[in-house]
Amino acid sequence: MVGPREAGVGAALLLLLAGCGTAGPGVPAPRPPAPAPAAATTPPPATTASAPADDGGPAGPCTGETLDVSATAPRTDGPVAVADLVFRNTGSAPCVLDGYPGVAFVAGNEGTRVGPRAAIDGPRARVRLAPGAAATAPLRVRATTSYPEADCVPEQARGLRVAPPGGSGGTFVPRPGPVCSADPAPPQATVGSVAAR
């Protein structure tokens, strides 16, 4: 026969064993541990756009559409004013300048040519222009006063029409002043071949 003391110990033991077992009906199951927070991802750094590289592949001639043409301020060399014609590639691909630019004086709003085209002078060269790169060609213009008036027949010009060396198109470059409408000797204007700047 089990006494009251032994019965109390047995009941306590059963309760302890029940707490260690599987949860019964109506008893909530233990919660699983919370997942670790995901690691924060850093966005990739922004890239800076750069000018297209010249890969050295084939390149066509530079045209007036992708070429900025200007002239430096003339410097005096005796009766001759010397300026550099500047050709800058404004396109997105390399292009080629080959030889001498075509240069003629123009007058009036219509750009009517005055006198002969500039004579060419010096050795011929070929320049490959990467996007953004520039090349120059020297332009020498003798003063109209260095010729007899009958040989020069001076007229007022507004500027120059410049065609790229070996390419197409023409660009107006301001250069107001008197020029010879005749064809004196030596030529009033001479232009050299293009050279890398």
Side-chain angles (χ1 to χ4, degrees):
M1 186 172 212
V2 179
R5 183 176 178 182
E6 288 82 355
V9 171
L13 186 59
L14 285 173
L15 286 174
L16 182 62
L17 289 173
C20 294
T22 306
V27 179
R31 294 184 181 178
T41 57
T42 306
T47 56
T48 304
S50 58
D54 185 352
D55 60 4
C62 299
T63 66
E65 296 173 354
T66 58
L67 205 60
D68 178 69
V69 184
S70 60
T72 61
R75 56 194 182 276
T76 304
D77 181 13
V80 177
V82 183
D84 288 324
L85 299 174
V86 182
F87 303 89
R88 185 174 301 279
N89 182 0
T90 59
S92 59
C95 64
V96 174
L97 295 172
D98 188 4
Y100 310 87
V103 180
F105 295 111
V106 292
N109 293 332
E110 297 78 22
T112 305
R113 194 174 92 180
V114 179
R117 289 176 55 152
I120 60 174
D121 182 47
R124 184 187 188 98
R126 188 173 187 267
V127 175
R128 180 187 178 95
L129 283 186
T136 61
L139 175 67
R140 300 170 60 86
V141 180
R142 295 179 65 90
T144 56
T145 54
S146 65
Y147 299 101
E149 188 170 347
D151 294 343
C152 176
V153 190
E155 286 190 20
Q156 198 70 18
R158 291 180 58 231
L160 308 165
R161 184 184 295 118
V162 181
S168 61
T171 303
F172 174 77
V173 177
R175 190 194 177 279
V179 297
C180 295
S181 63
D183 191 3
Q188 182 179 22
T190 58
V191 64
S193 183
V194 70
R197 190 176 190 185

